[in-house]
Amino acid sequence: MATAHSLFASSLRPRRQLLSKPFLFLPIPLHSRLALISGRNLGNRARVYAKKGFRGRGVSPSSAVAVDSSTAAAAAAAAEPEAKVEKERVVLPTNDSSEKLLRIRHTCAHVMAMAVQKLFPDAKVTIGPWIENGFYYDFDMEPLADRDLKRIKKEMERIINRNLPLIREEVSRDEAEKRISTINEPYKMEILESIREEPITIYHIGNEWWDLCAGPHVVSTGYINKKAVELESVAGAYWRGDEKNKMLQRIYGTAWETEEQLEAYLHFKEEAKRRDHRRLGQDLDLFSIQDDAGGGLVFWHPKGAIVRHIIEDSWKSMHIKRGYDLLYTPHVARSDLWKISGHLDFYRENMYNQMEIEEELYQLRPMNCPFHVLVYKRKLHSYRDFPIRVAELGTVYRYELSGSLHGLFRVRGFTQDDAHIFCLEDQIKDEIRGVLDLTEEILLQFGFDKYEVNLSTRPEKAVGSIDIWEKATTALRDALDDKGWEYQIDEGGGAFYGPKIDLKIEDALGRKWQCSTVQVDFNLPQRFDITYVDSNAEKKQPIMIHRAVLGSLERFFGVLIEHYAGDFPLWLSPIQARILPVTDTQLEYCNEVAIRLKENNIRAEVCHGERLPKLIRNGEKQKIPVMAVVGPKEVEMRSVTVRSRFGVEAGTMKLDDFISRITDAIKHRSSF
């Protein structure tokens, strides 16, 4: 019988999944990928994608460990295709960076509407804006099928080929009403009623079709590259976004300046689909949303729960080290509390209905802030007590329309990594800087080192004096300057209760996700009348700072899944090592290995019942970082034969050495 090592080697030659046209960054280690696609390398909003790539994921240089010359040769052979990767890249412009692109997309929406009404004369048009990656248009018409999109696209190409001019016309309101009545377009009439400015502007495509529009557009349809336009999907959309109104047919399209940009965008979509956390959550058995329990309510399965446990433990440890006190507060409270906080006045549509308990009304909490204020109010504070920092992983409940729910990204119950700091005016800057340092420390450990930062200032309607607003805003700005982070000013974009800093993290695809926020609050201290005694024995109102680093644990977990494509680093992986017997006769020793690993805080499991090649393939599909094969030789030598997640064999090693190696890799958060 062949030894386990020879079986392992023959069945585990590096396998590569073939994507039709994968991105350049797929086989590159995560830190390199982040550097490659960082928007800041090519302007704040630019994304970089490969024009052409190669198969699947290869050997990570940081994880390949050669234990003998044959293994080193195998690793080199597996890595060889990387040297042949074509380096040409395509920079995808945005509507903000390219006015030409914005004009193309806006014109494409009109061309599509014209094409639809040529093919479906009874269709009524509504609105058709440009959006982040293209355009859409809503129609009141019979439901469309995918085959209809092909017909519409062909008609659009005919219109583009005719090079029809886009003609701007100004008319009076009466004239606009007359024309709309003539063509019987009720939605246009409703749109006209909402337009306050005069004259009314109309854009014509040739002399065949027109729409109410403020522009801008290209000069003529011939300026559109028909090979850089694609119709993507059809969806239902309520008129004006109100579920009480009629359901419309929304056609989504994408448009770019060149074919290469379209190709890069389609690659991006393909990769985003591969990383979709909803599919990976099911495939990897991480979480689910059960219809029997209701939409938007997340069930964390054992593997997902262990990742959450790691996140929470790390979060708590870092906060305790930085002087935060941990809290646990109730999930419900008397409705009077939400009246005091103002949530019932300003946030009612996002809150669940009240429940009656012993003739009193109670409310599920939509936020944690009022509870933390109550903890502060439990006793009288002196100015010497400040700063006071409290933190909680608090679950909140918010009503969301069923149509807006989206995996882990939009749910009805979620846990916020919430914290509040009570401090004096002259402590704001230092406390904000401390929050920024903590934010960076937490995000870096999960592989996020590219951020988009915004500082939002006082809106027209605000509580608190202008003087305190200026002091707080200056403190936020100074903290950002001290930190050395680039940021943009959002004039007037602050909350009514105070200025704020918002931070978006950039994932492996260059997408931005809103996670961290720091907000100064002048409202709740006033509403709850919280005070402290100053050095003159007078009562004063402290400054309250809201802050979250991860935001929602559910949403952050979804971002993590997509960032890593479910292929978590060793230290974070739900299962760090899987032990595979060649035959069931090695099961007893495999179980001993698993016990030893668990005793050393290594998350391990034994998997058997199939032939070894299938066990290995299953481990790869489940993205297990390390697999250890055990055959008769390994039992005899008290050893294991090890393969890393990238298909690289680390060879046969004694069990104690294996435990030492994997423990060290986990400790240093490196690959095995």
Side-chain angles (χ1 to χ4, degrees), residues 36-270:
L36 265 177
I37 65 174
S38 165
R40 292 181 186 175
N41 294 341
L42 295 160
N44 284 338
R45 296 181 179 272
R47 294 180 185 147
V48 184
Y49 302 108
K51 181 180 179 183
K52 295 181 181 177
F54 72 103
R55 303 178 188 178
R57 75 184 177 195
V59 177
S60 166
S62 63
S63 64
V65 181
V67 295
D68 55 37
S69 59
S70 61
T71 303
E80 185 177 354
E82 292 193 19
K84 301 177 182 178
V85 175
E86 192 173 330
K87 298 298 183 182
E88 187 176 356
R89 303 168 190 164
V90 174
V91 178
L92 292 183
T94 68
N95 295 328
D96 291 336
S97 67
S98 172
E99 185 180 349
K100 176 185 175 183
L101 179 61
L102 185 148
R103 289 174 179 269
I104 288 171
R105 288 173 171 171
H106 196 187
T107 306
C108 279
H110 283 227
V111 170
M112 181 175 72
M114 178 177 173
V116 168
Q117 291 198 307
K118 277 183 174 290
L119 296 172
F120 305 93
D122 292 334
K124 303 298 181 185
V125 297
T126 61
I127 58 172
W130 68 82
I131 53 178
E132 181 181 3
N133 292 314
F135 58 93
Y136 73 80
Y137 218 112
D138 289 346
F139 303 92
D140 184 354
M141 62 187 300
E142 292 299 314
L144 293 166
D146 288 340
R147 63 180 179 273
D148 294 319
L149 293 185
K150 295 179 181 179
R151 293 177 60 204
I152 296 168
K153 175 67 186 322
K154 287 183 179 179
E155 184 61 37
M156 289 178 66
E157 290 177 353
R158 283 192 283 269
I159 296 170
I160 292 170
N161 286 338
R162 292 171 62 193
N163 196 24
L164 298 172
L166 274 291
I167 304 167
R168 184 178 187 272
E169 181 186 11
E170 294 183 355
V171 299
S172 67
R173 185 174 297 275
D174 289 342
E175 177 63 20
E177 288 179 359
K178 179 181 176 181
R179 294 190 190 185
I180 293 171
S181 297
T182 300
I183 60 175
N184 188 27
E185 288 282 6
Y187 295 96
K188 283 189 181 181
M189 190 67 77
E190 189 173 333
I191 293 170
L192 177 64
E193 291 171 358
S194 66
I195 298 174
R196 296 287 174 259
E197 301 82 9
E198 288 198 43
I200 306 300
T201 57
I202 289 174
Y203 272 86
H204 300 260
I205 300 180
N207 59 1
E208 300 177 25
W209 190 89
W210 62 270
D211 197 3
L212 297 171
C213 187
H217 292 283
V218 295
V219 174
S220 68
T221 59
Y223 277 72
I224 299 170
N225 183 344
K226 65 183 181 182
K227 294 183 179 180
V229 178
E230 194 68 59
L231 297 187
E232 299 185 282
S233 62
V234 180
Y238 292 110
W239 170 236
R240 299 293 196 187
D242 189 339
E243 61 183 346
K244 296 178 182 177
N245 291 335
K246 189 168 185 177
M247 175 71 76
L248 306 173
Q249 295 292 294
R250 175 172 293 179
I251 303 177
Y252 284 100
T254 188
W256 300 88
E257 297 169 352
T258 66
E259 292 177 66
E260 290 78 14
Q261 290 175 4
L262 174 61
E263 184 182 4
Y265 168 71
L266 294 177
H267 292 341
F268 168 81
K269 280 190 63 179
E270 181 182 343

Side-chain angles (χ1 to χ4, degrees), residues 475-487:
L476 295 180
R477 184 184 288 109
D478 289 347
L480 284 170
D481 290 338
D482 281 357
K483 187 65 181 169
W485 283 354
E486 294 181 6
Y487 61 93

Side-chain angles (χ1 to χ4, degrees), residues 10 56 101 141 211 290 329 343 426 464 515 522 611 614 621:
S10 64
L101 179 61
M141 62 187 300
D211 197 3
Q290 304 285 343
T329 58
H343 287 94
D426 59 3
C515 285
F522 311 126
R611 295 183 62 213
K614 187 170 183 180
K621 289 180 180 178

